[in-house]
Amino acid sequence: MKSIRSLFGGDPRQFSMLGALVILIMLFQVLTGGKVLTPSNMMNLINGNSYVLILAIGMVMVIVVGHIDLSVGSVAAVTGIIVALALRDWGIPWWAGILLGLAVGAVIGMWQGYWVAYVGIPGFITTLAGMMIFRGLNQYIGDSNSIPVPEELQFLGGGYLWEWGPNTGFNNSTLLLGIIAGAFVVWREWRKRVRAARVGFEPDPLPIAAIRAGLLIALISYATYLFGTGREGTSFPVPGVVLVILVIIYHVITQRTKFGRHVYAVGGNRAAAALSGVSTKRTYFFVMANMSVLAAFAGMMFIGRARASGPFDGTLWELDAIAAVFIGGAAVTGGIGTVTGSIIGGLVMATLNNGLQLMGAGSDETQIIKGLVLLAAVAFDVYNKKQGRPSVIALLMRRRPTFRDDDAAAAATPDGGSSQAGPVGAQEELETATSSTPATETSHPTRNANNERQEP
Amino acid sequence: MGVSVSTSHVKLEMRNITKVFPGVKALDGVDLTVRAGEIHAICGENGAGKSTLVKVLSGVYPHGTYEGDIVLDGEVQTFKSLKASEHAGIVIIHQELALIPELSVTENIFLGNEIVSHGLIDWDEARGRTTELLARVGLEVDPRTQIKNLGVGQQQLVEIAKALSKNVKLLILDEPTSALNESDSENLLDLLRGLRERGLTSIIISHKLNEIEEIADAVTIIRDGLAIERLDVADAPLDEDRIIKGMVGRSLEARYPEHTPDIGEVFFEVRNWTVEDPTIPGRLMSKSSSFQVRRGEIVGFAGVMGAGRTELARSVFGRSFGIYRAGTITLDGEEITLPTVKSAIARGLAYVPEDRKTLGLNLLDSIRDTIVSADLSRITPGLLLDESLEYKAAEHYRKSLRIKTPDVNRGVSTLSGGNQQKVVLGKWMFTEPELLILDEPTRGIDVGAKYEIYTLINKLADAGRGVVLISSELPELLGMCDRIYTVCEGRITGEVARGEADQEQLMRLMTTTSSAA
């Protein structure tokens, strides 16, 4: 048991959330008689969901900081129409079109960030207004017409990587990506050990690290095989590549930069953050602005995939993105949530969608099931918290990899489902780590200082 | 236990209460006997089991989840819920008051217990009864006043009025005076005495031993889930040192560590500091206050609650409170402005807020994240945070501050109050401040942890830092500080050097409204 713990202890949440996703995929694979894990289906799945996943990256930051953004679909749509028109009517090159789109996103983001951060209007209201304003602008600018987009954007939104080099039986670009990813896994394990040695704590035993790396590499290899051996001219899709790059960038931003820490600090306890020198206004501003930039980017990817920009692009995307973030373990009260968790949450939704479709379920049934899954995932979490048991999602989402092999590391359970086995220490920690409600602002901030801690 | 209890009628008896949580015995055969009409104090360090005992008594931990019997007025009780215990006349007032700020006094008192006639609430009747209840607790406010417009002391009285409205037979007060200033505390204790004369039995849980000494008829001391002893005024007058000895299992030689100050030059000076209240225009929270701090000096700020000590400190600390109106700050002979908290931290100021849960900590964070959170630049050599530097820093403070945790990756919310406070201190020591402002650093933490924090404060001063200590406990200020300023209504009303100060003198200066300085 202990060795399994340390196997997943290194970076528990990615591993175990990934585990849950893998189980779901395998379930559908069996139920559909093998229609899920085919190259073309997986490519579709990635192409058809990457824009929502990109929104989830920004949305998790918005939710962690304690707001919500309802305008992302409309922002994506208005950006799409502006870019499509500029490319068609002004004859600017495709890259200038993308820069223009990002600029549009930045301007919109600053607009929304201004109202949220400096005027103090809750994000919900600001972006509810934005949702109407930018939807209207999309239809006003585009006269409610569909505008086709050039090939370069189509490449961004649904293209495949190049074929080159010797005939390996694989798409060589995909093969190269797979090799890079594998090398990265090995490098990361190695770096972890070096760092452990430098700081002076015990690294995971070598076999454990090896098995962990091995499992990841097996997964990468399989993905490489799946995406590399599709129909001629196909590969790991371009939107997937973009998504992976963005996930890496934003993972690092949220976990390893001052700004990222500020986001969690403001979301966890705004007053304490302010007294620690964090500018809460600036944090709100940049988080909101960033969301709109990502929405603009997602909008451009979508018109590329759809090959045209239309008046109803991006409808209800905000809700998909929000659902992904909450399935991925974010807290409604802010302060908790991760980029990787949200991506996996989004993939769970995408897999459900895809698997149910392949099973022949209509959109009516699919929606019902997706709604129930969202409710169940969060309800399960809330229930666990109430029982004083560790919140499974929070357990998977613990922000910090643990460095020592002890109770805290045991917080991760391998399959993402069974949580009962955790020792008391871990339970206690998780209970308190997640159930503590952020302090409410009372008129007498001096009042509730000395809460005697219960010693269970 | 075999403790003899005098023969007068026994109100409550808890017999051999044992409560086990997975892996931990929180209560181990605790006996508690409370006679009718007495004020009974329960003392113990944080985590000793006081709250667990109260939760067992009040049905929060329902019958069946613990062993032992609860006997109220001679009948064995099996409370299934808080509601059931309330029905039997047991009412608890928690230190965090359960009043709704936006509702009126009347509405709060009858919340969940509304007076209904013909299916509608009879507000006239409710208001009449409220007036009566308020008279009983000696609170002269209009029953229609919103709670948010009352002071904490007055709110406490409303809570008691609410308890009285429920025909309380046994009133339990959990740290009732921890948020009150001296005069409000005194008021409350008087009220309790008055209620005792009218036959009310109460249990009081408090860290303030001087109050217990003053008011309690008997004390049960709990330590590590065991009822250590029962002291009865009838046998011998209560003695603070005696209680402490029972609580910690040893007698504390001195409550404050020996310290020989090594005081240097004045390095930090604030002159004519004037700050306006951010919500009430024209109201000054600090009126032309001036003070100075020398290197190696511990400077106290005494004042009743609301005197403006916290407001003064926070407005100096990067204008984190109020609207700056006038005044200068001089650091090492150079006049500086500190328009933001960030700039204040950069110039070597640190402020440990009075309320660690709402202002000092992000309870979702790990110890490790918290330690570095006030100065992330120190662990950011390039673009990215260096997690090994962070870990090293956290480990350093875990060891040097003796934070009781197996692992700095644990959440701060898993720590006891004293250890949380050490983490907050560590967070600010990590910024290597020149001037450390401590706002009520020992509130609500137990005796042992207090001593450790005092030792730390002395160490910081010995390292040549200046320390400002804001405290509502006069003995603490007298025991720790080299010099004490008194603050009243936003004005600095006096300055007393160590050795010259005594409690009466400070009290007098704290309550003078005219400036003496």
Side-chain angles (χ1 to χ4, degrees):
Chain A
M1 188 58 204
K2 181 140 177 147
S3 61
I4 295 176
R5 272 185 215 156
S6 48
L7 178 58
F8 296 102
D11 217 346
R13 59 179 184 278
Q14 280 90 339
F15 253 94
S16 20
M17 282 294 280
L18 215 52
L21 180 64
V22 167
I23 289 169
L24 189 67
I25 291 175
M26 291 196 304
L27 179 73
F28 277 122
Q29 175 76 350
V30 173
L31 290 177
T32 57
K35 283 190 218 157
V36 174
L37 287 171
T38 64
S40 62
N41 185 54
M42 290 313 276
M43 287 170 196
N44 267 334
L45 193 127
I46 298 226
N47 278 332
N49 290 286
S50 49
Y51 43 90
V52 167
L53 294 175
I54 287 173
L55 293 177
I57 294 173
M59 192 64 80
V60 69
M61 295 168 74
V62 173
I63 285 171
V64 165
V65 90
H67 285 287
I68 204 144
D69 193 331
L70 299 175
S71 70
V72 292
S74 298
V75 173
V78 75
T79 309
I81 201 76
I82 290 173
V83 171
L85 279 171
L87 287 175
R88 191 191 67 180
D89 297 348
W90 301 350
I92 58 173
W94 64 271
W95 52 266
I98 289 178
L99 289 179
L100 174 71
L102 292 176
V104 168
V107 170
I108 293 174
M110 287 190 279
W111 158 268
Q112 306 209 106
Y114 169 78
W115 292 106
V116 171
Y118 296 102
V119 183
I121 297 177
F124 184 91
I125 304 297
T126 304
T127 59
L128 182 62
M131 180 179 174
M132 302 180 214
I133 294 168
F134 301 117
R135 173 65 53 197
L137 270 180
N138 160 285
Q139 295 173 358
Y140 177 79
I141 293 171
D143 234 350
S144 294
N145 288 324
S146 269
I147 315 290
V149 299
E151 264 177 26
E152 290 90 346
L153 270 189
Q154 295 180 17
F155 176 74
L156 177 71
Y160 296 103
L161 298 172
W162 306 271
E163 296 278 5
W164 50 268
N167 184 1
T168 53
F170 279 83
N171 168 283
N172 282 337
S173 296
T174 307
L175 189 60
L176 183 66
L177 279 181
I179 291 168
I180 292 173
F184 176 76
V185 168
V186 173
W187 174 77
R188 213 174 61 142
E189 284 294 339
W190 174 78
R191 196 192 55 157
K192 218 185 272 178
R193 303 186 75 75
V194 169
R195 236 178 36 195
R198 185 150 52 98
V199 185
F201 53 81
E202 194 121 332
D204 291 333
L206 193 59
I208 298 287
I211 294 171
R212 184 165 54 206
L215 275 176
L216 262 183
I217 289 174
L219 195 69
I220 291 167
S221 306
Y222 179 70
T224 308
Y225 164 75
L226 199 60
F227 288 109
T229 57
R231 180 167 53 78
E232 184 73 23
T234 62
S235 71
F236 188 64
V238 172
V241 177
V242 172
L243 176 67
V244 169
I245 292 170
L246 285 174
V247 168
I248 292 171
I249 292 174
Y250 277 92
H251 174 75
V252 171
I253 288 177
T254 51
Q255 303 301 318
R256 295 284 304 280
T257 67
K258 287 197 243 180
F259 177 69
R261 285 289 170 90
H262 291 173
V263 171
Y264 284 101
V266 172
N269 184 343
R270 188 181 171 183
L275 279 178
S276 304
V278 177
S279 166
T280 54
K281 287 179 180 171
R282 197 178 306 163
T283 308
Y284 285 147
F285 180 81
F286 280 113
V287 166
M288 295 308 290
N290 174 68
M291 176 76 259
S292 291
V293 172
L294 284 175
F297 194 77
M300 290 187 283
M301 279 177 59
F302 180 78
I303 57 172
R305 175 171 152 81
R307 299 175 181 209
S309 166
F312 299 108
D313 290 357
T315 318
L316 297 184
W317 283 6
E318 46 279 338
L319 301 186
D320 283 337
I322 291 166
V325 170
F326 285 123
I327 290 181
V332 188
T333 44
I336 299 174
T338 59
V339 169
T340 38
S342 305
I343 292 299
I344 293 168
L347 285 174
V348 166
M349 290 289 261
T351 307
L352 270 174
N353 242 345
N354 178 261
L356 289 168
Q357 258 168 28
L358 291 174
M359 285 172 71
S363 91
D364 46 357
E365 292 157 294
T366 309
Q367 287 191 59
I368 292 170
I369 290 172
K370 273 165 67 182
L372 290 173
V373 166
L374 172 64
L375 206 56
V378 180
F380 187 55
D381 209 41
V382 170
Y383 174 77
N384 266 333
K385 273 188 222 169
K386 274 196 189 148
Q387 298 298 305
R389 278 198 290 272
S391 138
V392 171
I393 292 178
L395 200 143
L396 304 175
M397 303 319 300
R398 289 190 53 240
R399 198 148 68 75
R400 217 101 284 274
T402 48
F403 278 93
R404 289 211 225 137
D405 181 22
D406 62 7
D407 289 357
T413 48
D415 60 7
S418 71
S419 61
Q420 307 88 325
V424 179
Q427 294 202 355
E428 180 186 68
E429 164 177 311
L430 285 156
E431 176 195 345
T432 41
T434 54
S435 65
S436 49
T437 45
T440 47
E441 289 184 19
T442 63
S443 50
H444 295 279
T446 56
R447 184 150 14 97
N448 35 9
N450 44 356
N451 213 354
E452 185 181 26
R453 190 171 85 90
Q454 198 51 53
E455 299 267 36
Chain B
M1 291 290 300
V3 184
S4 70
V5 173
S6 60
T7 48
S8 67
H9 174 62
V10 170
K11 186 78 186 173
L12 169 79
E13 209 179 346
M14 293 179 82
R15 288 189 207 130
N16 206 13
I17 302 290
T18 299
K19 170 78 188 168
V20 180
F21 293 104
V24 183
K25 226 178 202 179
L27 294 175
D28 190 359
V30 170
D31 291 332
L32 177 72
T33 308
V34 180
R35 281 166 307 180
E38 78 173 358
I39 297 179
H40 191 103
I42 301 178
C43 292
E45 291 195 281
N46 287 341
K50 294 170 297 190
S51 291
T52 311
L53 186 66
V54 169
K55 283 183 182 165
V56 166
L57 173 57
S58 60
V60 172
Y61 298 135
H63 180 73
T65 62
Y66 58 88
E67 290 163 39
D69 290 323
I70 299 174
V71 185
L72 185 69
D73 288 326
E75 283 174 45
V76 176
Q77 305 288 340
T78 55
F79 299 133
K80 285 284 180 204
S81 66
L82 194 64
K83 194 118 194 151
S85 71
E86 253 184 27
H87 194 71
I90 299 177
V91 180
I92 302 185
I93 298 178
H94 292 283
Q95 52 183 336
E96 280 155 55
L97 301 179
L99 298 172
I100 297 172
E102 295 295 330
L103 296 185
S104 71
V105 172
T106 307
E107 286 167 311
N108 267 288
I109 286 180
F110 290 101
L111 187 66
N113 201 10
E114 290 82 359
I115 304 171
V116 178
S117 70
H118 310 297
L120 296 173
I121 296 179
D122 185 346
W123 284 118
D124 291 334
E125 171 71 16
R127 209 163 292 140
R129 296 246 301 259
T130 303
T131 313
E132 213 173 285
L133 289 164
L134 291 181
R136 277 177 72 189
V137 299
L139 179 61
E140 288 167 19
V141 298
D142 190 309
R144 286 167 298 190
T145 316
Q146 282 179 311
I147 289 296
K148 65 177 181 187
N149 296 325
L150 299 180
V152 191
Q154 294 174 312
Q155 293 188 13
Q156 191 77 260
L157 295 178
V158 173
E159 278 276 18
I160 292 176
K162 185 176 177 179
L164 295 178
S165 79
K166 293 175 188 164
N167 286 324
V168 57
K169 287 183 195 156
L170 176 62
L171 181 66
I172 304 170
L173 298 128
D174 190 357
E175 296 283 356
T177 59
S178 70
L180 302 189
N181 60 38
E182 304 260 346
S183 64
D184 279 350
S185 299
E186 216 27 70
N187 258 340
L188 184 71
L189 297 185
D190 281 341
L191 173 62
L192 290 179
R193 283 195 197 97
L195 292 172
R196 171 173 62 189
E197 269 160 36
R198 274 178 268 166
L200 181 71
T201 314
S202 39
I203 294 178
I204 176 167
I205 297 173
S206 179
H207 279 114
K208 293 194 180 172
L209 302 183
N210 55 339
E211 290 175 3
I212 289 175
E213 190 182 303
E214 201 179 312
I215 195 174
D217 300 302
V219 179
T220 298
I221 298 172
I222 296 182
R223 185 171 79 220
D224 300 331
L226 295 165
I228 295 299
E229 57 187 338
R230 184 182 199 281
L231 302 173
D232 208 314
V233 175
D235 304 332
L238 294 175
D239 168 28
E240 224 176 299
D241 291 333
R242 181 76 191 71
I243 299 174
I244 291 177
K245 195 176 159 193
M247 277 166 63
V248 299
R250 68 195 129 93
S251 71
L252 281 181
E253 291 301 298
R255 216 92 65 76
Y256 305 98
E258 259 333 289
H259 180 231
T260 318
D262 175 17
I263 297 174
E265 297 291 293
V266 171
F267 79 106
F268 186 84
E269 191 165 8
V270 172
R271 271 193 229 104
N272 303 323
W273 197 255
T274 303
V275 176
E276 190 175 320
D277 189 293
T279 49
I280 306 167
R283 181 178 170 207
L284 295 181
M285 295 306 288
S286 173
K287 298 167 189 159
S288 200
S289 308
S290 302
F291 65 92
Q292 41 182 243
V293 184
R294 298 182 177 85
R295 291 202 175 274
E297 188 183 34
I298 303 172
V299 178
F301 275 79
V304 297
M305 191 150 297
R309 296 164 300 164
T310 296
E311 290 78 3
L312 173 62
R314 283 183 60 179
S315 63
V316 168
F317 183 66
R319 299 185 191 166
S320 52
F321 171 87
I323 305 158
Y324 169 81
R325 285 294 177 227
T328 57
I329 300 174
T330 314
L331 177 69
D332 288 325
E334 182 198 346
E335 194 172 309
I336 56 169
T337 54
L338 303 172
T340 62
V341 171
K342 208 175 164 181
S343 64
I345 295 172
R347 291 314 286 255
L349 268 69
Y351 170 73
V352 175
E354 57 186 330
D355 185 337
R356 62 182 164 269
K357 289 205 173 170
T358 59
L359 300 173
L361 291 171
N362 174 358
L363 291 169
L364 303 171
D365 258 348
S366 66
I367 295 162
R368 170 179 161 166
D369 288 341
T370 307
I371 294 278
V372 298
S373 63
D375 200 352
L376 291 170
S377 320
R378 280 172 200 274
I379 57 158
T380 314
L383 278 174
L384 301 183
L385 306 176
D386 184 331
E387 289 181 311
S388 45
L389 286 179
E390 176 184 55
Y391 182 79
K392 269 184 180 163
E395 274 294 301
H396 170 76
Y397 286 104
R398 178 176 77 93
K399 285 180 191 138
S400 65
L401 305 184
R402 297 202 288 150
I403 298 166
K404 280 185 204 122
T405 180
D407 186 350
V408 292
N409 289 307
R410 293 202 165 207
V412 286
S413 51
T414 62
L415 300 174
S416 67
N419 281 300
Q420 284 184 347
Q421 190 67 348
K422 287 188 202 167
V423 172
V424 181
L425 275 175
K427 163 178 165 181
W428 289 105
M429 286 165 70
F430 178 70
T431 67
E432 299 189 355
E434 294 301 316
L435 177 74
L436 193 66
I437 305 170
L438 304 169
D439 200 346
E440 306 281 4
T442 63
R443 173 180 292 169
I445 64 180
D446 57 57
V447 178
K450 272 187 185 175
Y451 192 86
E452 285 187 73
I453 287 185
Y454 295 144
T455 311
L456 276 171
I457 294 174
N458 286 337
K459 264 194 203 159
L460 285 165
D462 290 341
R465 277 87 192 264
V467 178
V468 168
L469 177 61
I470 299 172
S471 175
S472 293
E473 290 189 35
L474 295 180
E476 179 171 285
L477 289 172
L478 291 166
M480 288 298 298
C481 298
D482 302 312
R483 206 151 47 84
I484 301 171
Y485 288 101
T486 53
V487 183
C488 181
E489 293 183 4
R491 222 180 270 284
I492 292 187
T493 53
E495 179 186 347
V496 198
R498 182 185 205 119
E500 295 169 13
D502 62 48
Q503 291 210 38
E504 287 78 48
Q505 187 195 6
L506 288 180
M507 241 359 243
R508 215 166 35 244
L509 287 168
M510 279 158 58
T511 46
T512 11
T513 38
S514 65
S515 175

